Amino acid sequence: MSESSAEVVADVASAAVAVSAAGAAGGWRRATGIAGVAIGVVAAGAAAGVALERMTVGRGMRQKARLALDSAGPYGSLRGMPGKAFADDGTELYYEVDDLDEEAAPAAIGPRRRRLFGRKSPAPVTVVFSHGYCLSQDSWHFQRAALRGVVRTVHWDQRSHGRSGRGVAQTRDDEPVTIEQLGRDLKAVIDAAAPEGPLVLVGHSMGGMTVMALADQYPELIRERVVGVAFVGTSSGRLGEVNYGLPVAGVNAVRRVLPGVLKALGQRAELVEKGRRATADLFAGIIKRYSFASRDVDPAVARFAERMIESTPIDVVAEYYPAFNDHDKTEALVHFTDLPLLVLAGVQDLVTPSEHSEAIADLLPDAELVLVPDAGHLVMLEHPEVVTDRLADLLTRTGAVPAGATVKGYGSTSTAQPG
């Protein structure tokens, strides 16, 4: 890290302290701009400061560029058959189903699945996609576009994210979010959207942790119905040790003050959101740093990621953050031992470093481990062709997709409906 980068890290850590102090003194309006910086860091999935690229284009021009990308970008525009599930605390969970193309259905029911499930007309395999922190089901845009009509898929929004309702236990009872709760939420979605038939579970980052929590609490579901699993840029634990690409001093400073800062900011959500909008340029730089590693990421894709992350309210960001330090589902991995598995990560992921994926693969030696060079945390958006290719191979191995099936061209810009 360069000296200028280190200075920015120190400035952000100092800013976090300043925000906390300003809040305690009642000076929230004076702290609004600083709050925007802190929120951008956390909403990007990184509990730390970051070095930013130099801004060489005027603010007005950048604002016009963002508006143009928002209106022209096709990403996140795919929609399926909507549905609602309800968590055990009453939280409304929104999901969408993309059904298998009826003409392709007979070819997809091969002899291997007939033997495996013992039915003359077995239900089709359903692939359930779980997204990460501060994202939504739309983060799987490329994979969804590529698989439409080829296999039945379910995409859902985690509680308080996307189109799902705010967590009832959090808003009503002031209970903390836990990864265990997310596992139960996933079970509710499966019960509503895919009550029968084999399942392939795909999870990115927090979504992968959700899948692990599901296995920990419902091992019989994994044993009886799951035929394959894909973990993308995720971790089974020890997230408290991640340094987010920062020097030790910077990490320690941010970890010390961030929980209190987030709690305070979450209590001033409306004011903080104004500050967050005011620091949009800084926010965009942070997202790019912590989401992507490539220098040539499509600006429309980068803006798409930014839109998803900035749509997550600050109080949701705050209530989720403590759950990650408590996350430890290493022992739950045993439930996946005999299944076809894909473990994939970006080599330059600063949020859930690829070493965490390697640790998962070490405990599941039959898993296919794929480490993608020049890729960051949002590898499924940054290098969709790699993720979709390996996912298609997993689906073929599970019998979800016949070996002769052709997966579409990764959905690079497609918004067309199947048919």
Side-chain angles (χ1 to χ4, degrees):
M1 176 174 286
S2 67
E3 291 183 8
S4 60
S5 299
E7 289 172 0
V8 172
V9 169
D11 288 345
V12 174
S14 298
V17 177
V19 171
S20 182
W28 284 99
R29 294 192 179 278
R30 295 192 302 274
T32 299
I34 300 174
V37 179
I39 299 315
V41 174
V42 180
V50 62
L52 301 176
E53 296 178 356
R54 290 182 178 274
M55 298 294 185
T56 58
V57 183
R59 174 177 291 183
M61 188 174 295
R62 289 194 297 272
Q63 290 175 337
K64 290 180 180 179
R66 280 195 292 271
L67 290 173
L69 291 172
D70 288 348
S71 63
Y75 309 118
S77 59
L78 299 175
R79 300 270 66 89
M81 182 66 69
K84 295 178 182 178
F86 291 90
D88 53 14
D89 66 348
T91 299
E92 185 178 285
L93 303 169
Y94 178 83
Y95 66 83
E96 294 179 358
V97 177
D98 289 347
D99 272 316
L100 179 67
D101 187 328
E102 292 183 1
E103 294 182 0
I109 300 174
R112 179 171 180 268
R113 283 177 50 209
R114 290 182 187 276
R115 292 196 300 271
L116 188 60
F117 298 100
R119 297 177 57 179
K120 290 184 178 180
S121 299
V125 175
T126 299
V127 187
V128 183
F129 287 84
S130 299
H131 69 78
Y133 180 43
C134 296
L135 299 172
S136 74
Q137 62 176 269
D138 292 339
S139 62
W140 296 107
H141 172 87
F142 291 102
Q143 292 70 42
R144 184 174 188 171
L147 295 173
R148 298 194 99 185
V150 179
V151 63
R152 186 176 191 268
T153 60
V154 172
H155 300 262
W156 69 293
D157 292 325
Q158 303 253 24
R159 64 173 52 216
S160 303
H161 289 70
R163 294 172 174 82
S164 284
R166 287 300 307 272
V168 171
Q170 286 71 54
T171 56
R172 182 192 64 196
D173 305 323
D174 199 28
E175 293 184 5
V177 175
T178 65
I179 302 300
E180 287 73 21
Q181 176 67 71
L182 302 185
R184 296 195 297 274
D185 290 354
L186 176 54
K187 176 62 161 55
V189 170
I190 290 172
D191 288 346
E196 63 175 353
L199 302 167
V200 174
L201 305 177
V202 183
H204 168 248
S205 191
M206 182 178 74
M209 302 174 204
T210 300
V211 172
M212 296 175 201
L214 175 76
D216 192 37
Q217 297 170 93
Y218 305 99
E220 70 284 352
L221 175 67
I222 307 301
R223 184 172 59 252
E224 296 171 3
R225 294 187 57 196
V226 175
V227 297
V229 177
F231 292 121
V232 180
T234 192
S235 172
S236 62
R238 302 181 70 175
L239 286 169
E241 300 176 8
V242 176
N243 65 13
Y244 303 100
L246 300 174
V248 174
V251 173
N252 291 341
V254 172
R255 284 178 181 159
R256 185 170 59 252
V257 302
L258 191 56
V261 169
L262 280 175
K263 184 176 180 179
L265 294 176
Q267 295 170 350
R268 303 292 192 279
E270 183 177 352
L271 183 60
V272 171
E273 291 299 340
K274 292 180 180 178
R276 192 172 171 181
R277 291 191 294 271
T279 56
D281 291 335
L282 179 60
F283 186 72
I286 291 168
I287 290 176
K288 187 175 182 181
R289 164 71 171 169
Y290 278 103
S291 298
F292 307 110
S294 307
R295 291 184 176 273
D296 58 349
V297 174
D298 182 347
V301 171
R303 176 56 189 158
F304 171 48
E306 182 184 347
R307 262 196 347 263
M308 279 191 289
I309 294 171
E310 70 186 5
S311 68
T312 307
I314 178 54
D315 46 343
V316 174
V317 175
E319 69 190 20
Y320 264 83
Y321 178 71
F324 300 114
N325 279 341
D326 297 334
H327 168 62
D328 184 357
K329 290 291 177 285
T330 302
E331 294 184 2
L333 295 176
V334 68
H335 300 299
F336 305 115
T337 301
D338 297 323
L339 296 173
L341 293 165
L342 169 65
V343 180
L344 184 147
V347 172
Q348 299 182 53
D349 189 336
L350 298 176
V351 180
T352 51
S354 59
E355 289 82 3
H356 287 240
S357 290
E358 293 183 81
I360 293 172
D362 286 343
L363 294 172
L364 299 168
D366 292 331
E368 179 187 17
L369 175 63
V370 178
L371 301 179
V372 185
D374 197 29
H377 190 57
L378 300 188
V379 59
M380 68 283 192
L381 293 176
E382 187 173 14
H383 293 288
E385 70 288 350
V386 176
V387 177
T388 304
D389 180 72
R390 301 325 304 151
L391 184 57
D393 181 71
L394 173 70
L395 296 179
T396 300
R397 287 189 283 136
T398 64
V401 172
T406 301
V407 173
K408 300 170 189 174
Y410 311 122
S412 57
T413 59
S414 175
T415 59
Q417 300 293 318

